[in-house]
Amino acid sequence: MTTGNSEGTKVSVRQERRGYLLHGLDPVEAEEAEQAGPAARNAGDEGDSDRRLLDPDGASGWTERDAWQVARIQAEFGEGFRALSGLPPAVSVFGSARTSPDSAEYEAGVRLGRGLAEAGWAVITGGGPGAMEAANKGAQEAGGVSVGLGIELPFESGLNPYCDIGLNFRYFFVRKTCFVKYSRGFVVLPGGLGTLDELFEALTLVQTGKVTRFPIVLFGTEHWGGLADWIKSTLVAGGKCSEKDLDLFHLTDDVDEAVALLSRETER
């Protein structure tokens, strides 16, 4: 994980973690690392913490591995909470890492990030390229606080260059908790499966009352309109959710409207 502050200072704690392993904090992983050798460690094997935790065919046993996993999960929560606890009111912006920098969607992300920053919001994204980079870029260029919460994956290239505060998480669920804990609302740009995952988790948390006063804005009616229609025509019509659940989110193509919705529903 890389931590930093609103002035842009970044501090790597990856070496500290490796030191813990070498000194026996997680003897199973330390042994695996030594057996794999430097070539394997440099080939992107560091993004496997979630898989090791969840894989039913992997190494098991409370004393052998799981207790160490719990300790590391606890430490990751602590690192995330410590790094983000001083943020001003923030909005999380989600969207596809595959959004092209020369696309209209990317430009919309830049305008959105800029509009949020100018309204006084810190902007939190997943820290990656594409739509996430666009929102971070807009926020940073407007003088706002730009935050990236990345995830260690073998195929990810790391945090985008527009993050004033950057953290790389090992565990998806720790990262997702930080998105919700330090945000007053979500704006969801066009995206794929990962974006849908974040969207529906947020909708469920609001629907069940786990978070309150948490507006969710779907930005891009062409992309999200079909999903909204399906929720209404299939889920609501079939009794799988209530008519009032349609009020949990808003669709728009307008940056000013998105910012106004967030500010009005959070009374800012």
Side-chain angles (χ1 to χ4, degrees):
M1 177 181 289
T2 305
T3 60
N5 55 36
S6 58
E7 286 72 40
T9 304
K10 298 180 180 179
V11 181
S12 173
V13 297
R14 187 186 302 279
Q15 290 182 339
E16 181 182 357
R17 279 183 171 159
R18 284 178 174 167
Y20 289 159
L21 295 179
L22 293 176
H23 286 87
L25 181 62
D26 186 341
V28 176
E29 188 164 313
E31 182 179 355
E32 288 178 355
E34 290 304 312
Q35 291 176 350
R41 289 196 296 271
N42 293 332
D45 192 43
E46 294 174 346
D48 290 337
S49 296
D50 268 323
R51 178 181 59 78
R52 288 173 179 149
L53 177 66
L54 301 172
D55 187 355
D57 297 323
S60 61
W62 172 255
T63 58
E64 184 179 14
R65 171 175 298 279
D66 290 348
W68 301 111
Q69 291 276 15
V70 170
R72 191 159 63 185
I73 290 165
Q74 181 180 2
E76 185 152 294
F77 271 117
E79 291 171 11
F81 292 174
R82 183 170 58 251
L84 300 175
S85 61
L87 282 183
V91 171
S92 286
V93 179
F94 298 99
S96 176
R98 305 182 189 190
T99 299
S100 173
D102 59 0
S103 67
E105 288 181 1
Y106 187 96
E107 177 56 31
V110 174
R111 289 189 286 108
L112 179 65
R114 184 182 301 121
L116 289 169
E118 289 173 348
W121 296 101
V123 173
I124 304 174
T125 79
M132 295 173 281
E133 177 184 292
N136 284 133
K137 179 180 180 181
Q140 189 181 80
E141 290 179 346
V145 179
S146 177
V147 182
L149 306 183
I151 186 74
E152 293 184 351
L153 295 173
F155 49 83
E156 287 287 352
S157 57
L159 297 173
N160 70 65
Y162 301 102
C163 299
D164 301 315
I165 301 174
L167 299 91
N168 268 319
F169 291 86
R170 289 176 177 265
Y171 300 97
F172 270 108
F173 58 89
V174 178
R175 178 191 189 221
K176 290 162 79 174
T177 299
C178 287
F179 276 130
V180 176
K181 180 174 175 61
Y182 294 100
S183 295
R184 305 288 182 89
F186 283 179
V187 181
V188 190
L189 295 166
L193 295 180
T195 305
L196 288 169
D197 176 50
E198 299 290 356
L199 167 60
F200 279 101
E201 179 154 354
L203 289 171
T204 302
L205 290 171
V206 177
Q207 182 198 50
T208 56
K210 297 298 184 182
V211 294
T212 58
R213 306 193 66 80
F214 198 88
I216 299 169
V217 177
L218 304 183
F219 192 93
T221 55
E222 183 178 355
H223 185 84
W224 296 115
L227 175 64
D229 291 341
W230 176 80
I231 292 173
K232 182 176 183 178
S233 64
T234 302
L235 300 187
V236 174
K240 302 301 187 294
C241 63
S242 302
E243 184 81 24
K244 66 180 181 180
D245 291 330
L246 296 173
D247 297 330
L248 297 178
F249 59 88
H250 311 273
L251 272 74
T252 185
D253 292 308
D254 184 80
V255 169
D256 292 337
E257 182 181 6
V259 175
L261 283 167
L262 290 161
S263 298
R264 182 173 69 246
E265 292 205 12
T266 56
E267 297 183 344
R268 289 196 71 243

Short mmCIF file of all heavy atoms in Angstrom, two decimals, residues 26-75:
data_model
loop_
_atom_site.label_atom_id
_atom_site.label_comp_id
_atom_site.label_asym_id
_atom_site.label_seq_id
_atom_site.Cartn_x
_atom_site.Cartn_y
_atom_site.Cartn_z
N ASP A 26 4.38 -13.88 8.59
CA ASP A 26 3.56 -14.85 7.84
C ASP A 26 4.51 -15.91 7.31
O ASP A 26 5.01 -15.82 6.19
CB ASP A 26 2.83 -14.15 6.69
CG ASP A 26 1.86 -15.07 5.97
OD1 ASP A 26 2.02 -16.29 6.11
OD2 ASP A 26 0.98 -14.56 5.28
N PRO A 27 4.82 -16.93 8.10
CA PRO A 27 5.85 -17.89 7.71
C PRO A 27 5.48 -18.67 6.46
O PRO A 27 6.36 -19.05 5.70
CB PRO A 27 5.94 -18.81 8.94
CG PRO A 27 4.64 -18.65 9.65
CD PRO A 27 4.23 -17.24 9.43
N VAL A 28 4.20 -18.93 6.22
CA VAL A 28 3.81 -19.68 5.03
C VAL A 28 4.13 -18.90 3.78
O VAL A 28 4.75 -19.41 2.84
CB VAL A 28 2.31 -20.02 5.09
CG1 VAL A 28 1.88 -20.73 3.81
CG2 VAL A 28 2.01 -20.89 6.30
N GLU A 29 3.75 -17.62 3.73
CA GLU A 29 4.00 -16.82 2.52
C GLU A 29 5.48 -16.53 2.36
O GLU A 29 6.00 -16.46 1.25
CB GLU A 29 3.20 -15.52 2.58
CG GLU A 29 3.28 -14.74 1.29
CD GLU A 29 2.20 -13.67 1.21
OE1 GLU A 29 1.04 -13.98 1.49
OE2 GLU A 29 2.56 -12.53 0.85
N ALA A 30 6.18 -16.35 3.47
CA ALA A 30 7.62 -16.12 3.38
C ALA A 30 8.32 -17.31 2.74
O ALA A 30 9.21 -17.15 1.90
CB ALA A 30 8.19 -15.84 4.76
N GLU A 31 7.90 -18.52 3.14
CA GLU A 31 8.49 -19.72 2.56
C GLU A 31 8.18 -19.82 1.06
O GLU A 31 9.05 -20.14 0.26
CB GLU A 31 7.97 -20.96 3.28
CG GLU A 31 8.59 -22.26 2.77
CD GLU A 31 8.07 -23.47 3.53
OE1 GLU A 31 7.32 -23.29 4.50
OE2 GLU A 31 8.42 -24.59 3.15
N GLU A 32 6.93 -19.51 0.69
CA GLU A 32 6.56 -19.54 -0.72
C GLU A 32 7.39 -18.54 -1.51
O GLU A 32 7.84 -18.82 -2.63
CB GLU A 32 5.07 -19.21 -0.88
CG GLU A 32 4.14 -20.31 -0.41
CD GLU A 32 2.69 -19.90 -0.55
OE1 GLU A 32 2.44 -18.72 -0.91
OE2 GLU A 32 1.81 -20.73 -0.31
N ALA A 33 7.59 -17.34 -0.95
CA ALA A 33 8.35 -16.31 -1.65
C ALA A 33 9.79 -16.74 -1.88
O ALA A 33 10.36 -16.53 -2.95
CB ALA A 33 8.29 -15.00 -0.87
N GLU A 34 10.39 -17.35 -0.86
CA GLU A 34 11.76 -17.79 -1.00
C GLU A 34 11.90 -18.90 -2.02
O GLU A 34 12.84 -18.95 -2.81
CB GLU A 34 12.30 -18.24 0.36
CG GLU A 34 12.50 -17.10 1.34
CD GLU A 34 13.41 -16.03 0.78
OE1 GLU A 34 14.50 -16.35 0.26
OE2 GLU A 34 13.03 -14.85 0.84
N GLN A 35 10.91 -19.83 -2.04
CA GLN A 35 10.97 -20.92 -3.00
C GLN A 35 10.75 -20.44 -4.43
O GLN A 35 11.33 -20.96 -5.37
CB GLN A 35 9.91 -21.97 -2.64
CG GLN A 35 10.21 -22.72 -1.35
CD GLN A 35 9.10 -23.68 -0.97
OE1 GLN A 35 8.02 -23.67 -1.55
NE2 GLN A 35 9.37 -24.52 0.03
N ALA A 36 9.89 -19.41 -4.59
CA ALA A 36 9.59 -18.91 -5.93
C ALA A 36 10.77 -18.18 -6.52
O ALA A 36 11.01 -18.24 -7.73
CB ALA A 36 8.37 -17.99 -5.87
N GLY A 37 11.53 -17.47 -5.69
CA GLY A 37 12.67 -16.74 -6.18
C GLY A 37 12.29 -15.37 -6.71
O GLY A 37 11.12 -15.05 -6.90
N PRO A 38 13.27 -14.51 -6.99
CA PRO A 38 13.02 -13.13 -7.41
C PRO A 38 12.25 -13.03 -8.72
O PRO A 38 11.42 -12.15 -8.89
CB PRO A 38 14.42 -12.53 -7.56
CG PRO A 38 15.32 -13.45 -6.82
CD PRO A 38 14.70 -14.80 -6.85
N ALA A 39 12.51 -13.94 -9.66
CA ALA A 39 11.85 -13.85 -10.97
C ALA A 39 10.35 -13.95 -10.83
O ALA A 39 9.59 -13.18 -11.42
CB ALA A 39 12.37 -14.94 -11.90
N ALA A 40 9.88 -14.89 -10.03
CA ALA A 40 8.44 -15.06 -9.84
C ALA A 40 7.85 -13.88 -9.10
O ALA A 40 6.76 -13.42 -9.40
CB ALA A 40 8.16 -16.35 -9.08
N ARG A 41 8.58 -13.34 -8.11
CA ARG A 41 8.06 -12.21 -7.35
C ARG A 41 7.93 -10.98 -8.23
O ARG A 41 7.06 -10.14 -8.03
CB ARG A 41 8.98 -11.91 -6.15
CG ARG A 41 8.90 -12.96 -5.07
CD ARG A 41 9.48 -12.45 -3.78
NE ARG A 41 10.91 -12.16 -3.88
CZ ARG A 41 11.86 -13.05 -3.65
NH1 ARG A 41 11.54 -14.29 -3.32
NH2 ARG A 41 13.13 -12.72 -3.76
N ASN A 42 8.79 -10.86 -9.21
CA ASN A 42 8.74 -9.71 -10.10
C ASN A 42 7.76 -9.90 -11.24
O ASN A 42 7.55 -9.00 -12.05
CB ASN A 42 10.12 -9.42 -10.69
CG ASN A 42 11.10 -8.97 -9.62
OD1 ASN A 42 10.69 -8.39 -8.62
ND2 ASN A 42 12.38 -9.24 -9.83
N ALA A 43 7.14 -11.06 -11.34
CA ALA A 43 6.26 -11.35 -12.47
C ALA A 43 4.80 -11.08 -12.16
O ALA A 43 3.92 -11.51 -12.88
CB ALA A 43 6.43 -12.80 -12.89
N GLY A 44 4.52 -10.35 -11.07
CA GLY A 44 3.15 -9.97 -10.77
C GLY A 44 2.42 -10.90 -9.83
O GLY A 44 1.21 -10.92 -9.80
N ASP A 45 3.16 -11.68 -9.01
CA ASP A 45 2.51 -12.63 -8.11
C ASP A 45 2.03 -11.98 -6.82
O ASP A 45 1.49 -12.63 -5.96
CB ASP A 45 3.50 -13.76 -7.77
CG ASP A 45 2.80 -14.92 -7.08
OD1 ASP A 45 1.70 -15.30 -7.53
OD2 ASP A 45 3.34 -15.45 -6.09
N GLU A 46 2.24 -10.63 -6.70
CA GLU A 46 1.88 -9.97 -5.45
C GLU A 46 0.38 -9.68 -5.36
O GLU A 46 -0.09 -9.27 -4.32
CB GLU A 46 2.67 -8.66 -5.31
CG GLU A 46 4.16 -8.92 -5.15
CD GLU A 46 4.94 -7.61 -5.16
OE1 GLU A 46 4.35 -6.60 -5.55
OE2 GLU A 46 6.11 -7.62 -4.79
N GLY A 47 -0.37 -9.84 -6.43
CA GLY A 47 -1.77 -9.51 -6.42
C GLY A 47 -2.66 -10.68 -6.07
O GLY A 47 -3.82 -10.71 -6.47
N ASP A 48 -2.16 -11.67 -5.34
CA ASP A 48 -2.89 -12.91 -5.12
C ASP A 48 -3.46 -13.04 -3.72
O ASP A 48 -3.91 -14.11 -3.34
CB ASP A 48 -1.97 -14.11 -5.39
CG ASP A 48 -1.66 -14.26 -6.86
OD1 ASP A 48 -2.45 -13.76 -7.67
OD2 ASP A 48 -0.63 -14.87 -7.18
N SER A 49 -3.46 -11.99 -2.92
CA SER A 49 -3.92 -12.10 -1.54
C SER A 49 -5.38 -12.51 -1.46
O SER A 49 -5.75 -13.36 -0.64
CB SER A 49 -3.69 -10.79 -0.80
OG SER A 49 -2.32 -10.50 -0.72
N ASP A 50 -6.22 -11.90 -2.28
CA ASP A 50 -7.64 -12.28 -2.29
C ASP A 50 -7.80 -13.74 -2.68
O ASP A 50 -8.58 -14.49 -2.08
CB ASP A 50 -8.43 -11.40 -3.27
CG ASP A 50 -9.02 -10.18 -2.59
OD1 ASP A 50 -9.46 -10.29 -1.44
OD2 ASP A 50 -9.05 -9.12 -3.23
N ARG A 51 -7.07 -14.18 -3.70
CA ARG A 51 -7.18 -15.56 -4.16
C ARG A 51 -6.73 -16.52 -3.07
O ARG A 51 -7.38 -17.54 -2.81
CB ARG A 51 -6.36 -15.78 -5.43
CG ARG A 51 -6.40 -17.23 -5.93
CD ARG A 51 -5.56 -17.42 -7.18
NE ARG A 51 -4.18 -17.08 -6.96
CZ ARG A 51 -3.29 -17.86 -6.34
NH1 ARG A 51 -3.68 -19.03 -5.83
NH2 ARG A 51 -2.04 -17.49 -6.20
N ARG A 52 -5.63 -16.20 -2.41
CA ARG A 52 -5.14 -17.08 -1.35
C ARG A 52 -6.12 -17.17 -0.20
O ARG A 52 -6.26 -18.22 0.44
CB ARG A 52 -3.78 -16.57 -0.86
CG ARG A 52 -2.65 -16.79 -1.85
CD ARG A 52 -1.39 -16.11 -1.39
NE ARG A 52 -0.29 -16.34 -2.32
CZ ARG A 52 0.70 -15.49 -2.55
NH1 ARG A 52 0.69 -14.33 -1.93
NH2 ARG A 52 1.66 -15.77 -3.40
N LEU A 53 -6.81 -16.05 0.06
CA LEU A 53 -7.77 -16.05 1.14
C LEU A 53 -9.02 -16.86 0.79
O LEU A 53 -9.56 -17.58 1.63
CB LEU A 53 -8.17 -14.61 1.47
CG LEU A 53 -9.24 -14.43 2.55
CD1 LEU A 53 -8.71 -14.88 3.91
CD2 LEU A 53 -9.68 -12.97 2.61
N LEU A 54 -9.47 -16.77 -0.45
CA LEU A 54 -10.77 -17.32 -0.84
C LEU A 54 -10.70 -18.69 -1.51
O LEU A 54 -11.70 -19.39 -1.58
CB LEU A 54 -11.48 -16.34 -1.80
CG LEU A 54 -11.73 -14.95 -1.23
CD1 LEU A 54 -12.26 -14.03 -2.31
CD2 LEU A 54 -12.70 -15.01 -0.06
N ASP A 55 -9.54 -19.07 -2.01
CA ASP A 55 -9.42 -20.32 -2.77
C ASP A 55 -9.59 -21.52 -1.84
O ASP A 55 -8.79 -21.75 -0.94
CB ASP A 55 -8.04 -20.37 -3.44
CG ASP A 55 -7.90 -21.55 -4.39
OD1 ASP A 55 -8.83 -22.39 -4.45
OD2 ASP A 55 -6.85 -21.65 -5.06
N PRO A 56 -10.64 -22.33 -2.04
CA PRO A 56 -10.85 -23.49 -1.15
C PRO A 56 -9.81 -24.58 -1.33
O PRO A 56 -9.67 -25.45 -0.47
CB PRO A 56 -12.25 -23.99 -1.55
CG PRO A 56 -12.40 -23.56 -2.97
CD PRO A 56 -11.70 -22.24 -3.08
N ASP A 57 -9.07 -24.54 -2.44
CA ASP A 57 -8.06 -25.56 -2.70
C ASP A 57 -6.66 -25.14 -2.27
O ASP A 57 -5.69 -25.87 -2.45
CB ASP A 57 -8.03 -25.92 -4.19
CG ASP A 57 -9.36 -26.52 -4.64
OD1 ASP A 57 -9.94 -27.27 -3.84
OD2 ASP A 57 -9.78 -26.22 -5.76
N GLY A 58 -6.56 -23.92 -1.73
CA GLY A 58 -5.25 -23.45 -1.32
C GLY A 58 -4.85 -23.97 0.04
O GLY A 58 -5.55 -24.79 0.66
N ALA A 59 -3.73 -23.47 0.54
CA ALA A 59 -3.27 -23.87 1.87
C ALA A 59 -4.30 -23.45 2.91
O ALA A 59 -4.89 -22.39 2.84
CB ALA A 59 -1.93 -23.21 2.17
N SER A 60 -4.56 -24.29 3.89
CA SER A 60 -5.60 -24.01 4.86
C SER A 60 -5.09 -24.29 6.26
O SER A 60 -3.98 -24.76 6.46
CB SER A 60 -6.84 -24.86 4.57
OG SER A 60 -6.52 -26.24 4.66
N GLY A 61 -5.93 -24.04 7.22
CA GLY A 61 -5.57 -24.29 8.61
C GLY A 61 -5.37 -22.99 9.34
O GLY A 61 -4.61 -22.14 8.91
N TRP A 62 -6.12 -22.81 10.45
CA TRP A 62 -6.07 -21.55 11.17
C TRP A 62 -4.66 -21.19 11.60
O TRP A 62 -4.18 -20.09 11.37
CB TRP A 62 -7.01 -21.63 12.37
CG TRP A 62 -6.90 -20.45 13.29
CD1 TRP A 62 -6.30 -20.40 14.49
CD2 TRP A 62 -7.41 -19.15 13.04
NE1 TRP A 62 -6.40 -19.14 15.03
CE2 TRP A 62 -7.08 -18.35 14.16
CE3 TRP A 62 -8.11 -18.56 11.98
CZ2 TRP A 62 -7.42 -17.00 14.25
CZ3 TRP A 62 -8.45 -17.22 12.08
CH2 TRP A 62 -8.10 -16.46 13.20
N THR A 63 -3.97 -22.11 12.20
CA THR A 63 -2.64 -21.79 12.70
C THR A 63 -1.62 -21.66 11.58
O THR A 63 -0.61 -20.99 11.73
CB THR A 63 -2.16 -22.85 13.70
OG1 THR A 63 -2.17 -24.14 13.05
CG2 THR A 63 -3.08 -22.91 14.91
N GLU A 64 -1.89 -22.30 10.44
CA GLU A 64 -0.90 -22.29 9.36
C GLU A 64 -0.98 -21.01 8.53
O GLU A 64 0.03 -20.46 8.15
CB GLU A 64 -1.13 -23.49 8.44
CG GLU A 64 -0.09 -23.62 7.33
CD GLU A 64 -0.35 -24.83 6.46
OE1 GLU A 64 -1.44 -25.41 6.55
OE2 GLU A 64 0.55 -25.18 5.70
N ARG A 65 -2.19 -20.52 8.24
CA ARG A 65 -2.29 -19.35 7.37
C ARG A 65 -3.36 -18.36 7.80
O ARG A 65 -3.12 -17.15 7.83
CB ARG A 65 -2.57 -19.78 5.93
CG ARG A 65 -2.91 -18.62 5.01
CD ARG A 65 -3.06 -19.01 3.57
NE ARG A 65 -1.83 -19.55 3.03
CZ ARG A 65 -0.82 -18.80 2.61
NH1 ARG A 65 -0.89 -17.49 2.71
NH2 ARG A 65 0.28 -19.35 2.13
N ASP A 66 -4.54 -18.83 8.15
CA ASP A 66 -5.67 -17.92 8.30
C ASP A 66 -5.46 -16.88 9.39
O ASP A 66 -5.90 -15.73 9.26
CB ASP A 66 -6.95 -18.71 8.59
CG ASP A 66 -7.42 -19.50 7.37
OD1 ASP A 66 -6.88 -19.25 6.27
OD2 ASP A 66 -8.30 -20.37 7.51
N ALA A 67 -4.79 -17.25 10.48
CA ALA A 67 -4.54 -16.27 11.53
C ALA A 67 -3.68 -15.13 11.01
O ALA A 67 -3.89 -13.96 11.37
CB ALA A 67 -3.86 -16.95 12.73
N TRP A 68 -2.72 -15.44 10.17
CA TRP A 68 -1.87 -14.40 9.60
C TRP A 68 -2.65 -13.54 8.61
O TRP A 68 -2.44 -12.33 8.52
CB TRP A 68 -0.65 -15.02 8.92
CG TRP A 68 0.18 -15.82 9.87
CD1 TRP A 68 0.34 -17.17 9.90
CD2 TRP A 68 0.96 -15.32 10.97
NE1 TRP A 68 1.15 -17.54 10.94
CE2 TRP A 68 1.56 -16.42 11.60
CE3 TRP A 68 1.20 -14.04 11.46
CZ2 TRP A 68 2.38 -16.29 12.71
CZ3 TRP A 68 2.02 -13.91 12.56
CH2 TRP A 68 2.60 -15.03 13.18
N GLN A 69 -3.57 -14.17 7.88
CA GLN A 69 -4.41 -13.39 6.97
C GLN A 69 -5.25 -12.38 7.75
O GLN A 69 -5.39 -11.23 7.35
CB GLN A 69 -5.34 -14.33 6.19
CG GLN A 69 -4.64 -15.24 5.19
CD GLN A 69 -4.40 -14.56 3.85
OE1 GLN A 69 -4.48 -13.34 3.73
NE2 GLN A 69 -4.09 -15.34 2.84
N VAL A 70 -5.82 -12.81 8.88
CA VAL A 70 -6.63 -11.92 9.69
C VAL A 70 -5.80 -10.74 10.18
O VAL A 70 -6.24 -9.58 10.16
CB VAL A 70 -7.26 -12.67 10.87
CG1 VAL A 70 -7.91 -11.70 11.85
CG2 VAL A 70 -8.29 -13.68 10.37
N ALA A 71 -4.57 -11.01 10.62
CA ALA A 71 -3.71 -9.93 11.10
C ALA A 71 -3.39 -8.95 9.97
O ALA A 71 -3.38 -7.73 10.19
CB ALA A 71 -2.41 -10.53 11.66
N ARG A 72 -3.16 -9.46 8.78
CA ARG A 72 -2.83 -8.58 7.66
C ARG A 72 -4.05 -7.79 7.20
O ARG A 72 -3.95 -6.62 6.84
CB ARG A 72 -2.25 -9.39 6.49
CG ARG A 72 -1.65 -8.49 5.42
CD ARG A 72 -0.66 -9.23 4.56
NE ARG A 72 -1.31 -10.32 3.84
CZ ARG A 72 -0.66 -11.20 3.09
NH1 ARG A 72 0.66 -11.13 3.01
NH2 ARG A 72 -1.30 -12.15 2.45
N ILE A 73 -5.23 -8.41 7.24
CA ILE A 73 -6.47 -7.70 6.90
C ILE A 73 -6.70 -6.56 7.90
O ILE A 73 -7.03 -5.43 7.52
CB ILE A 73 -7.66 -8.67 6.89
CG1 ILE A 73 -7.55 -9.62 5.70
CG2 ILE A 73 -8.98 -7.91 6.85
CD1 ILE A 73 -8.46 -10.84 5.80
N GLN A 74 -6.50 -6.85 9.17
CA GLN A 74 -6.66 -5.82 10.19
C GLN A 74 -5.69 -4.67 9.95
O GLN A 74 -6.06 -3.50 10.06
CB GLN A 74 -6.44 -6.42 11.58
CG GLN A 74 -6.61 -5.42 12.71
CD GLN A 74 -6.39 -6.04 14.07
OE1 GLN A 74 -6.07 -7.22 14.19
NE2 GLN A 74 -6.55 -5.26 15.12
N ALA A 75 -4.43 -5.00 9.61
CA ALA A 75 -3.44 -3.97 9.36
C ALA A 75 -3.82 -3.13 8.14
O ALA A 75 -3.64 -1.91 8.14
CB ALA A 75 -2.07 -4.61 9.15
#
